[in-house]
Structures are given as C-alpha cells and as structure tokens.
Amino acid sequence: MSSPQPRSRILGTGSYAPARVVHNTDLEKIVDTSDSWISERTGIRRRHIAAEGELTSDLAAAAGRSALDAAGLSAADLDMIIVGTISGDTPMPSCAVYVQQKLGAQEIPAFDISAACAGFVYGLTIADQFIANGVARHVLVIGVELLSRILNWKDRTTCVLFGDGAGAVVLGPASGDGRGIISTRIFSDGTLANSLVIPGGGTAEPLTPEGIEQSRNKVHMVGQDIFKVAVKNLSSASLIALDTAGMAAGDLDWVVAHQANLRIISQVAARLSLPLERFVLNIEEYGNTSSASIPIALDEAVRDGRIKSGQNVLFCALGAGISWGASVIRM
Ligand code: UT7
C-alpha cells in the first residue's frame, strides 16, 4: 500500500528546559521516596524545574524562537500559533497569546489546546488541517508545561514524576518530495476523566481556602489506571496511524513516544515488535514534561543527528482526559 502524500512538513524544531536540575536524591529530602524507587519504576533520574518568576510563556517562547531559527523563519512569517498546555500563565487568556506577544508575531490566530500530555500531537493534527486547506502556511506548534507549580509537593505519587520544559516545531506546506505528516490520529475517552485530574479551581469546584489546604488545585493521579490504558491505547493508536500511512512498524526509523514511564514505553515497544533502541528516550533527564515531552525529545534527536532527513518517525502520546494520539512523519 502506498503512503498518502503529506500536506504539511516540519521545517524546524526547538526546545527549552529551565536551568535548575532536581535529582531524585533531592526529592528524598522532601517526601518519603528513594532514588531507586523512582528510577526503577519510571526511568526518571532528574527533572528541570523553572526558576521563580519564569513563566510558562517564557519557556514556550524560547522553544518557539529556537524552532523558528531552525526553520530559517521569523515570527513575522507565522500564520498561527498553537500551544498544547494545561499549565498556562493564567486561566484566561490563553498561553498562546502571551507567546504571540513575546515573539512579536502579527495579528494571527493564537490559541491553546487542552489535551494534557497529548497536547502536542493534538496541536500538530490541527495545524496539519489548516495548512492542508490553505488557510495557513506557517504554523508554530508548541508543547509546554510548568507543572512544578501545580504539583502537590507532599504527594510522592505525583511530585517525583513531572518536570518543566517546552518543545516546538514550525510546520509549513509539504514540498511534494514525500516528506511531512503522512498520517495523524487523535482520540479521547472521557470515562477516565477522573483518573488524572486537577479537581479544584474550575467551575465545578471553585477554590476555597479548604480546597487549597487539601491541594484540590494540584494534580491528582490514579497511576495504575493510566498505566494500563497507556500501554493499550498508545499501541493501538500507533498501529492505526501506521495503517493510515500505509506502513508497518518495521518501516519506522524512530519512535518518539511521550516520556511518562520507561516501563510504558518498553511495553509499547514490545507490542509493536520494535527494539527499545528504535525509541528516542530522555525521560532520565527531564521526567514527564507532559505536552512538551515529544517535541523536546524530537528536537534533541534532530540536533544530535540521530533523526535524519527522509527518515520515518512515529509520535505517540497519552495523558489526562484521557486523550491520546499518534502521528507518522517523514522528516
Ligand atoms: O503523562 C500522563 C500519563 N501518566 C502516566 O502515564 C503515568 C502512568 N502511571 C505510572 O507511570 C505508574 O503507575 C506510576 C509511576 C505512577 C506508579 O508506579 P506503579 O508501579 O504503578 O506503583 P503503584 O502506584 O502500584 O505503587 C506501588 C507502591 C505503593 O506502595 P504499597 O501500597 O505497595 O505499599 C505506593 O504507595 O509504591 C508506592 N509509591 C512510592 N514509593 C516510593 C508510590 N509512589 C512512590 C514514590 N516513592 N514516589
């Protein structure tokens, strides 16, 4: 089966991680945990944490500038900014408009996507549509999270897992040489909405002093529920995206999966019958940066020469919602 012709392609990648690095051993001092538990159960050894005063939109704008540079474009060339985040600067307006302001972009549409860890794959899928229908030529897609400010630092079941960071790509029209987004598929299942949730602070539960005391405005997760569904759905979405692209897993040069847990990635690798060496891994360094994890790993692998032009790459991500998706790209 031949692959569909891509309509958009990645013109440049960028990323940004805050300078401050927190090691597992640092966390041993604040919650009842251990370096061995964290590294053996998740693969995480370190994570980057934003400095006081550093904003989500600062991280996002830094990654965006880097992607624009790599694409040889400037903010004036952009037709749209899409930001995948659940930890924007303010509940309203979107993080994307602060990024627009910081980049000095024109009066273009700028909006956020709330799909948690799948936010980047959702953003990519939406951008691909706007480029395909000719409404936009250059779209900046960013995945960014500043989760350290919405974690309960007394809850060892969540606070050891996440980190801060941003990754970005600039998409532009495909040039007809087969490179670009060949297929991209997104899904949600609201029946599991409460398995990974910030329960307070929205209209369902406006914040009260008691709510703040009980950390209702912080991330709550039933880790095992998400683990099981992550392995199943990341594998099935990947196979659907591959099938839509007219490819098999064996045709892939690289997989850039959401970096939530090395054990999840290993089980997805087994289900796709792919060696773990085919996966770009950086969970050890960043922890789970939610929507930023795929574009950060992508940018690192592009810049260090692992991912090369013309190679077939699969993205797959799953997070709160639950929302998930997978994309097949020829770089
Ligand atoms: O990115 C968004 C999507 N999120 C995910 O994909 C995360 C999916 N879930 C996971 O990755 C895993 O479920 C976790 C890493 C969150 C947890 O690993 P687990 O192997 O599922 O552990 P568990 O929840 O079954 O807990 C096992 C034990 C428990 O103690 P008991 O009840 O056996 O005595 C926990 O209380 O480990 C304990 N535990 C910890 N111990 C030391 C939980 N967190 C910690 C910790 N340090 N930080």
Side-chain angles (χ1 to χ4, degrees):
M1 187 174 146
S2 64
S3 298
Q5 270 303 314
R7 290 120 16 128
S8 73
R9 75 180 177 97
I10 294 175
L11 302 176
T13 66
S15 61
Y16 173 82
R20 183 175 160 219
V21 176
V22 173
H23 296 258
N24 290 349
T25 45
D26 299 320
L27 298 178
E28 289 176 350
K29 294 170 197 144
I30 60 167
V31 281
D32 179 16
T33 191
S34 64
D35 176 32
S36 58
W37 190 96
I38 302 170
S39 55
E40 283 162 24
R41 297 276 181 144
T42 69
I44 300 166
R45 293 188 183 276
R46 295 172 289 281
R47 71 283 293 141
H48 292 242
I49 301 290
E52 209 177 314
E54 203 170 20
L55 303 182
T56 308
S57 58
D58 295 327
L59 276 54
R65 271 186 213 103
S66 160
L68 282 166
D69 283 350
L73 297 172
S74 73
D77 297 311
L78 290 175
D79 301 304
M80 186 176 288
I81 299 172
I82 305 177
V83 177
T85 190
I86 48 97
S87 54
D89 297 12
T90 53
M92 181 187 82
S94 69
C95 185
V97 299
Y98 295 112
V99 175
Q100 176 184 29
Q101 189 189 99
K102 285 176 183 173
L103 292 178
Q106 316 281 327
E107 287 180 7
I108 53 170
F111 56 92
D112 290 358
I113 297 297
S114 178
C117 305
F120 178 73
V121 173
Y122 265 66
L124 202 72
T125 307
I126 295 163
D128 179 54
Q129 292 295 326
F130 276 110
I131 292 171
N133 66 24
V135 171
R137 186 168 170 80
H138 296 131
V139 182
L140 179 61
V141 182
I142 302 175
V144 61
E145 302 293 358
L146 206 162
L147 297 170
S148 61
R149 287 195 199 136
I150 55 167
L151 293 172
N152 174 1
W153 286 97
K154 292 183 181 147
D155 175 11
R156 68 175 183 175
T157 69
T158 50
C159 75
V160 305
L161 303 173
F162 297 96
D164 302 334
V169 299
V170 179
L171 287 188
S175 47
D177 59 1
R179 289 187 300 153
I181 299 179
I182 301 173
S183 73
T184 184
R185 302 291 301 267
I186 48 178
F187 308 88
S188 290
D189 174 4
T191 62
L192 287 167
N194 289 331
S195 296
L196 181 45
V197 62
I198 298 173
T203 54
E205 188 180 316
L207 274 186
T208 59
E210 296 73 36
I212 293 172
E213 180 63 30
Q214 292 160 18
S215 294
R216 301 287 294 169
N217 54 336
K218 308 288 176 171
V219 172
H220 294 242
M221 178 167 74
V222 186
Q224 286 202 354
D225 287 0
I226 302 289
F227 190 108
K228 283 181 220 142
V229 80
V231 172
K232 182 168 145 287
N233 292 7
L234 287 170
S235 308
S236 61
S238 298
L239 292 173
I240 292 168
L242 281 165
D243 190 51
T244 311
M247 288 189 199
D251 296 321
L252 294 169
D253 296 290
W254 290 103
V255 181
V256 186
H258 171 46
Q259 313 279 305
N261 190 320
L262 188 55
R263 290 185 293 136
I264 294 176
I265 296 177
S266 303
Q267 292 188 27
V268 171
R271 287 192 182 207
L272 297 179
S273 303
L274 288 173
L276 200 53
E277 292 69 38
R278 205 75 64 87
F279 285 66
V280 177
L281 301 173
N282 65 6
I283 188 168
E284 181 174 316
E285 177 63 29
Y286 298 100
N288 181 346
T289 57
S290 185
S291 64
S293 87
I294 288 179
I296 292 175
L298 173 71
D299 183 49
E300 288 191 338
V302 166
R303 283 173 194 266
D304 69 20
R306 271 175 292 168
I307 294 184
K308 296 177 182 58
S309 179
Q311 287 189 326
N312 296 327
V313 180
L314 170 76
F315 300 155
C316 57
L318 176 141
I322 57 169
S323 293
W324 69 101
S327 319
V328 176
I329 323 282
R330 185 161 302 129
M331 293 297 293

